[in-house]
């Protein structure tokens, strides 16, 4: 059963979230104007599953159940699946112009799937089968799932079990016959409040002594003991204002939540790792590779909207054909496509895990993400260059609608004669939203820190390359080792 | 008489501004929480004039009256004055962490001073003496003056007199015995609502047919026919909220206003150019050179605060000594100092005008500004890198103060044990304000477009260099021209 | 029949080239020390065809004849073939550390194959069959073929038929019953002197009046009327010196030749376009897309050697584990892999032509190449940073071997105790060769200008993107067009 | 007495250098075609002293003797002297298009002058007076002096006194009544073979145990025990060929020498430090600051020639007015001027030492140099972009002069009709020399490693900034510390 966007939104009303926003507990969070755009963004992942022209990207045959399932809940069964994932993400970025939040769950599903298989192989546990059962139900009900990896971490210089406060990483505080009890918090949780369930995962390599921190499990977002605290985003309260211009992207937005787990019970059938410290890094790295691949899709798609908006403001200002404008637009396209090319390449070069699903190529996924930590910033800078100073000096929509001064604004903020002032206004606020406002956390900071900060990618790139081979090649060419004989 | 900061603020209450903000006419604008921080920022320019350790930078002997005057109202009488200007601007950037808005007036004063002298020389007019008289009164009363150059421009492909709407550039609509009547609008007017008077200037080279657009004059900001419409800035309404954390920079902020001039009368004694199209480009370029120099001061100073904040968040996260963090902090310092070095260099290499005041070196001032259009963006990117994702996911101060969930935030958002969570919170919101929020228009977009967009600097750089000499040098070295004989 | 490297080299001796080098006609050019390394580089393409571990990359089933053929002489029958092409190129870059010169021919073959098919479709000509016949012979004899596109161009502001000297673009000067006579010159001809035949192609879009310039044909490199003038390369005469260190890359090198065609006769069976101006741009653009793809292979491979050499000098200097060295090495890897990722992506996203062979994705191939015009320069800069000043101050090998001063050099140029001075010497000269010396034209300038200069890629990127779609997306998000309804 | 260029060259003939080049001892080194251009470059520093229009830059009143002296032998008596130094260096860079080698001596003189003063103050030694006496003689005879700082260093992880081979840093091997005996080697010695004397200095901070390595003294370049081994440079043997085109810069060139000191005696009157380990770092850092300042002059000047050459090739190719060409030329100017602006700024912001001469501002001198490690590379890349592929594919001058093929080259390598092919040829080889050939070590590698590698500058920049102040500013703005009260 593939839910429609509308059904997804209605289904959320069943969740009794313990959710706080701007200092208040929010009961009807589904219709809250600050939250709703982030729900709409996820809803788009449901909508595309019913669109004929997107269906092949947005859905796939399940490996576990009979029906087609949403790709976000699927296992990647081939390199082609990896490629379609990235292309789907680009399309969703284009359609929402923001983070659509559902990738973390998809990437978590696939990394837990293959990791539990290998844990069971080594430790004789039964996590993999459990996980498959859980996943079947997820697929059958077309639920939305978020992935919760990043702990709050406290003092970065100290291991989880050695922190002054033992709760700085999520950990098991009680093991009972029927399940476990966990405590801690997960930060920067994209889409957590819009999901039916969440997958808890460890955030780094656990070592001896950290056993209670090696925990992976699923729980409903409204389980007892769960508190969600909604993060502020730049210009968030513009969504509370009248009108639809100043907010820039009226329909869609991202969401970041601090999840507090205050002694939450999880039954064993939803526990997928508990104490296996030797598999924490595998889970973390597989997830990271998937998620670094993901950015080769979504950020290219969001970039497309920014490029389109920038070309439009150049049109509206009457300067589109100027050589330096064309050059800068060309550069923006180039950077967005470089990101996407890296996303595609790491997908096409994927590999099959022992469990049978496919992983993106680790080296190239990291290369992809490292470019993502740089290029969106340059895209924003170029967009600001072309947009002009009005980007940050336009009066409010209320001024524009004002009976006395509205006419001044309409008269004086007009660009080329054939474009209404309001269109120019709207395109400027969209660019503003992307580089300063509500979309900027999605497009800039998430590009920087999502799936790990740039330094993490640098380290992986250094580690994943075959430097021994490269040095051997150099020694042979230099004649330090014997030179290659091409004739005999 | 040098006003104190307090006296300056009180003096503003005399102004009966016709000011609109967020769709409403604001009467007590001096105490309006969105506007007040921008007043405070200018007030700092008055405060420094009374600080013993800043006095030598902030004040100077007047060339026109007996007293020391605020440097912002002074003529640059030497290269040393140009240097002190830039150093003062850096200090003010450090103390306010935003645009302090008073530079446009200072730069306008100096460019009008020298240009009116040359107009009079050629045309036998009496603008220069008039301007000196006006300036004396300004100095004697220590008034704050804004400079209004940028017209709204309409269709950028068409000259002022050929626009569909003749009002897209400010122009004279009536010449009377006692003065002129002007109409039009000036966009992106920094500090306009915080000033006692404004100096209207043309925005580009006027050509035959544009005579009525070649107008320079002074008028009170509350003159009849003047309407000020306050521009929105990212996160502006956070200033209306309780608390002082989320806004990032609670005390200080910039200000951009759309000035509408609906048939405003200006008496002849405040008219400094009226129809002399042949001098418009001189005025524009001299102003531009001064203002491009200015950014070598203020943006370095704001950068200092961002660097300090970034080093602090690294401390609070416990990662300050990591090699890659040190490298990035070093890079941030390097970029900020390169900007300042260019600001200093163009000052030290200044030249004396025919009127006797000093201009910054045009080529180097443009080089300075072109770097400013690039480096603050990279500084923001590096700050975001070091700050981590929490930069855009922290809950609100209201959540932090909340009786139920506040304790969660305090517990879980703690970094190193010895630093209170609140300090970490505050430094994150400051960085956020600088890269996304209320300071970002000052630090990013103004760096891009203030004093002209990067393309304007590229063109000036190409024009100001002596390419003929460079080609001659190359031809001689290459032996196309005769090579230099070093012996005989 | 797949020739061995040795057989290829011997086969060259049959060619009676009219070849000039450093002011002299060279008869035994095969053994000339300046030329031989470039022959060796091509020979490597023959060697790999016989290596079990490279065979799948280096050879393929022919679409035309029964045997496996060298990939350089093959048609790309699938996306997979495009991918293997790029991976083969990377391997060859790794093995030769220079341009191996045979790609132009391969790319020319494939673009002429598909273009002749479409010419025939439209004009009822028989070029395609002719070309297939010619290609069969080529494959059967495993010949080496170069592609000759770039004309000398004269005044870039003027069309071929309007140049002061009509010979600035290769053109038909006589049409005879048995064939045509052509005149002109082709510049920067990579590998021309090492090939058995060359494919002449037009270099830009021809327009009415340029019919005689729309010519494509094959001819032997030693045909009557052909003169080859060997281009100088940085440090070329080091190959004439004793010893093998100073040259850096002793075995391998690139080659660039000026081909002069002084009334050369070409029989009709080797003429594949003659006057069809409407197809010149198709041929040029298809070739360009292939060749821009190619650089995503070879330049990544050459980069691998540079990275290996740089890591080695860091080892030898005892600084390899320093954080800033690791960071820079990581950056070098990142840049080389970004190039390769783009090369892979444009291959995987290839498309089938009407003639049935596959083209690389045009947009992504241009994106690939534009990155190539930038990143090798940064790789060289980083290599120089890590190598240290000794890179350009080492004495000569002769000094090193000198009975009196050799011992000083051995003593004083030693790095870490366990590495012989000579190894350090050798790795430094290799890096020198790549960034300054004999490899630098291959690795730097060819990256910039090969397959078209960066501006050509910018233009293609702008043209190939669907800006209309991007602007539509932006207008919908901004609410200028109707916003997307996600619910109904 | 100020020598003329000719007198300087003649004076060198008195020196009996023990000099090796390409494996041979060179007796008439003054006229050796590989060496002579580097002598000519220094000779230009003598020539300018006699040029009326350069005199004010090239000479100054001595603080020690009655006459005007060459600035290269002078003490910097004011900030203005520092500025003139940088402007002189730019002019010399413009006139020679290479490293003119005499700056190291000038910078060494000034750092030893102030450091010896402070050594004497603390240790009661008499080095300063000794040094002044030596300097007087230098000035009176207008000798050319080189500075020898960089030791060969061996294993970079180990202190001088702990190296496997104790000679990896120059050290005192014997103290006698009349002087000391030193041993070791100095690498990358710019201009060593063209100088009358050299100043030996320690290369890093010495610690306890390293006393014998803390040595500073002067000696004649032809002293007993001194061997000079001339370093290879890219394309060096082109200077041995007939013709003057291929070499690019026929008249001028740099020079790097390995100096071997095999038990060289230095009388006490030329010893300026001997064992004072506590002053080694002062000497090193003062020298470094001066020399990092220097690059803000010379590299801007060499850049001027490259820019001029690049504009010329654009003219000759007929593309000078293309928007992208103008943009790139503008960028080249911008980068060269940014370097120069930093050089000027650190000069103007200099400070007076206890000894009374002036030092460049340390922070800004390091900022200057760090930009120099980046921008010339980008200038070269842009020059290559504009020059086109012909840069590395032109045939040799011998081919151009060849009776048979010369006419082909003349015909086919012609650009716009009004410029002779030879001029185009010459300008291309000049650009080649600067980015690949004989000038490239001066313009690229020396920019990277001269006066210390980029990492050294990063560290100094981090150390020299007042991070405490910056953090205080941030804490105050953020409200962690008390906010500034602007009213009371």
């Amino acid at each position: 059963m593939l839910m429609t966007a509308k059904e997804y939104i209605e289904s959320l009303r069943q969740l009794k979230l313990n959710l706080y926003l701007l200092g208040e507990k929010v009961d009807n969070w589904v219709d809250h104007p600050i939250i709703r755009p982030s729900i709409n963004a996820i809803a788009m992942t449901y909508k595309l599953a019913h669109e004929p022209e997107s269906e092949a990207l947005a859905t796939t045959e399940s490996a576990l159940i009979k029906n087609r399932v949403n790709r976000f809940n699927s296992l990647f069964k081939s390199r082609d699946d990896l490629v379609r994932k990235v292309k789907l993400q680009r399309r969703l970025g284009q359609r929402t112009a923001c983070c659509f939040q559902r990738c973390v769950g998809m990437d978590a599903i696939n990394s837990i799937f293959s990791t539990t298989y290998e844990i069971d192989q080594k430790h004789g546990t039964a996590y993999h089968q459990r996980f498959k059962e859980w996943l079947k139900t997820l697929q059958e009900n077309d639920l939305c799932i978020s992935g919760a990896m990043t702990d709050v971490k406290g003092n970065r210089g100290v291991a989880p079990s050695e922190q002054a406060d033992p709760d700085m990483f999520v950990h098991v505080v009680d093991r009972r016959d029927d399940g476990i009890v966990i405590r801690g918090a997960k930060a920067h949780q994209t889409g957590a409040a819009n999901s039916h369930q969440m997958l808890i995962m460890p955030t780094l390599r656990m070592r001896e002594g950290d056993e209670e921190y090696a925990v992976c499990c699923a729980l409903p977002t409204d389980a007892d003991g769960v508190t969600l605290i909604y993060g502020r985003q730049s210009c968030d309260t513009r969504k509370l204002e009248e009108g639809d211009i100043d907010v820039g992207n009226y329909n869609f937005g991202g969401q970041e939540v601090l999840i507090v787990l205050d002694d939450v019970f999880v039954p064993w059938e939803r526990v997928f790792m508990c104490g296996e410290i030797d598999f924490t890094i595998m889970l973390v790295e597989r997830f990271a590779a998937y998620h670094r691949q993901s950015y080769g899709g979504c950020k290219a798609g969001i970039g497309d909207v920014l490029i389109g908006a920038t070309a439009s403001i150049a049109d509206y200002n009457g300067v589109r054909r100027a050589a330096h404008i064309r050059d800068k637009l060309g550069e923006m396209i180039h950077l967005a496509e470089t990101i996407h090319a890296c996303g595609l390449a790491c997908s096409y070069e994927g590999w099959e895990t022992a469990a049978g699903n496919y992983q993106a190529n680790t080296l190239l996924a990291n290369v992809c993400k490292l470019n993502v930590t740089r290029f969106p910033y340059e895209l924003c800078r170029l967009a600001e260059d072309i947009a002009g100073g009005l980007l940050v000096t336009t009066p409010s929509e209320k001024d524009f609608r004002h009976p006395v001064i509205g006419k001044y604004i309409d008269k004086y903020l007009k660009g080329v004669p054939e474009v209404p002032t309001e269109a120019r206004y709207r395109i400027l606020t969209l660019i503003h939203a992307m580089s300063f406002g509500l979309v900027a956390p999605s497009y800039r900071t998430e590009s920087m820190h999502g799936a790990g900060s740039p330094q993490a990618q640098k380290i992986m790139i250094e580690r994943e390359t075959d430097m021994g081979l490269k040095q051997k090649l150099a020694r042979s060419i230099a004649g330090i080792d014997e030179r290659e004989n091409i004739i005999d």
Side-chain angles (χ1 to χ4, degrees), chain A:
Chain A
M1 187 212 77
L2 291 167
M3 284 200 273
T4 63
K6 189 174 186 178
E7 287 163 347
Y8 157 70
I9 294 172
E10 289 313 305
S11 76
L12 293 177
R13 300 190 189 279
Q14 313 308 316
L15 294 171
K16 303 297 172 209
L17 297 187
N18 186 33
L19 173 63
Y20 286 83
L21 167 57
L22 295 176
E24 291 179 8
K25 188 165 183 321
V26 184
D27 290 323
N28 180 5
W29 55 277
V30 174
D31 299 315
H32 191 292
I34 288 189
I35 303 174
R36 183 55 177 268
S38 70
I39 296 174
N40 290 344
I42 294 198
M44 189 64 85
T45 69
Y46 286 90
K47 187 181 180 198
L48 259 56
H50 298 275
E51 262 182 12
E53 68 275 23
S54 298
E55 205 185 355
L57 295 180
T59 69
T60 183
E61 294 299 320
S62 169
L64 304 178
I65 66 170
K66 296 266 149 106
N67 303 330
R68 283 191 84 78
V69 295
N70 195 299
R71 188 170 301 279
F72 283 97
N73 284 349
S74 76
L75 297 168
F76 309 126
K77 303 173 303 294
S78 64
R79 288 182 190 89
D80 189 58
D81 270 353
L82 293 170
V83 172
R84 284 171 193 258
K85 170 194 165 183
V86 171
K87 292 185 175 179
L88 170 63
Q89 290 167 319
R90 184 166 188 170
R91 186 166 301 178
L92 280 160
Q94 292 178 334
R95 295 280 283 275
T96 60
C98 70
C99 175
F100 38 89
Q101 310 152 58
R102 207 175 168 190
C103 308
V104 190
M106 166 171 56
D107 294 337
I109 285 167
N110 277 278
S111 17
I112 298 171
F113 182 82
S114 71
T115 302
T116 51
Y117 183 89
E118 299 191 36
I119 298 177
D120 292 357
Q121 293 291 101
K122 177 167 175 196
H123 290 293
T125 43
Y127 294 128
H128 190 62
Q129 187 55 36
R130 245 187 225 171
F131 183 73
K132 276 165 66 173
E133 292 306 319
W134 175 83
L135 182 54
K136 269 189 213 173
T137 312
L138 191 79
Q139 289 184 342
E140 278 157 3
N141 294 287
D142 199 19
L143 298 179
C144 180
I145 182 82
S146 77
M149 180 171 271
T150 309
D151 288 289
V152 295
K153 294 199 190 111
N155 185 342
R156 273 117 186 98
V158 173
S161 56
E162 291 162 356
Q163 296 277 333
D165 180 340
D167 303 338
M168 298 317 269
F169 291 75
V170 170
H171 61 126
V172 178
V173 291
D174 197 12
R175 293 180 184 230
R176 300 180 356 199
D177 285 354
D178 51 351
I180 58 177
V181 177
I182 60 176
R183 188 189 299 155
K186 294 285 187 181
H188 330 306
Q189 293 305 303
T190 306
N194 299 340
S195 297
H196 303 91
Q197 295 196 28
M198 66 178 88
L199 277 167
I200 302 290
M201 296 172 284
T203 200
L204 45 70
R205 180 198 298 274
M206 299 295 168
R207 300 172 193 279
E208 248 180 276
D210 295 333
E211 284 75 8
E212 297 310 292
Y213 295 86
V215 60
C216 173
C217 59
L219 63 158
T221 46
D222 61 354
D224 281 355
V226 174
T227 301
L228 305 177
I229 307 173
Y230 210 91
R232 289 215 77 167
Q233 294 195 331
S234 178
C235 302
D236 46 8
T237 54
R238 288 196 184 186
K239 291 191 276 198
L240 303 175
E241 301 176 3
E242 276 174 60
D244 72 327
I245 297 184
D246 294 2
V247 75
N249 184 351
Y250 181 72
N251 261 359
F252 304 109
Q255 174 194 97
E256 304 289 339
V257 170
L258 175 67
I259 301 175
V260 178
L261 303 167
D262 203 355
D263 291 1
V264 179
F265 172 73
V266 186
W268 284 114
E269 61 265 26
R270 285 195 265 105
V271 176
F272 311 125
M273 174 190 285
C274 189
E276 291 80 7
I277 51 172
D278 47 342
F279 281 91
T280 47
I281 190 63
M282 178 187 287
L283 181 51
V284 169
E285 288 185 359
R286 289 195 178 172
F287 173 79
Y290 280 132
H291 209 50
R292 290 167 192 177
Q293 168 209 23
S294 287
Y295 286 151
C298 61
K299 299 314 179 207
I302 301 178
D304 288 332
V305 180
L306 184 60
I307 293 165
T310 306
S312 298
I313 193 64
D315 280 340
Y316 300 175
N317 290 346
V319 297
R320 174 73 178 283
R321 306 317 299 166
H324 76 100
I325 299 290
R326 293 180 61 184
D327 185 75
K328 286 164 189 166
L329 284 169
E331 183 67 19
M332 292 175 78
I333 301 163
H334 170 67
L335 295 174
E337 295 296 341
T338 297
I339 288 173
H340 193 52
C342 293
L344 290 171
C346 70
S347 305
Y348 279 118
E349 296 287 310
W351 55 279
E352 189 175 3
T353 71
N357 63 344
Y358 277 74
Q359 277 280 142
N361 178 287
T362 309
L363 174 60
L364 294 181
N366 278 280
V367 166
C368 176
K369 175 65 205 317
L370 191 53
N371 283 322
V372 170
T373 68
R374 300 171 178 182
F375 295 168
Y377 289 83
E378 182 63 4
L379 277 150
C380 284
R381 197 183 74 86
L382 291 168
E384 283 183 57
D385 181 350
I386 294 175
L390 209 50
L391 188 67
V392 299
T393 69
T394 41
S396 67
E397 181 176 359
K398 281 180 193 155
D399 294 309
F400 189 54
R401 307 291 184 209
H402 189 278
V404 176
I405 59 169
K407 65 175 190 299
Y408 285 139
I409 297 176
D410 194 48
K411 172 185 174 77
Y412 284 120
L413 296 194
K414 198 163 175 60
V416 291
E418 58 275 23
V419 175
T421 301
E422 185 174 322
R424 195 166 171 234
Y425 228 100
R426 287 184 178 277
I427 215 76
L428 282 165
T429 57
L430 172 55
I431 297 173
H432 184 273
M434 299 186 82
S435 59
F436 293 90
L438 273 154
V439 183
S442 288
Y443 189 52
R444 287 172 46 191
T445 319
E446 200 181 85
S447 291
M448 180 67 83
H449 292 291
S453 304
Q455 189 64 11
Q457 283 108 63
K458 266 275 172 82
I459 289 167
M460 286 300 284
I461 287 169
E462 193 197 6
R463 210 190 69 189
E464 289 288 318
T465 204
D466 185 350
M467 190 59 97
L469 169 65
K470 289 181 170 61
Q471 293 191 265
K472 195 163 166 300
L473 292 165
R475 286 198 310 273
S476 166
I477 296 281
I480 299 170
D481 292 354
E482 197 180 358
R483 290 212 175 86
E484 185 162 7
N485 184 335
I486 45 170
I487 293 191
D488 307 315

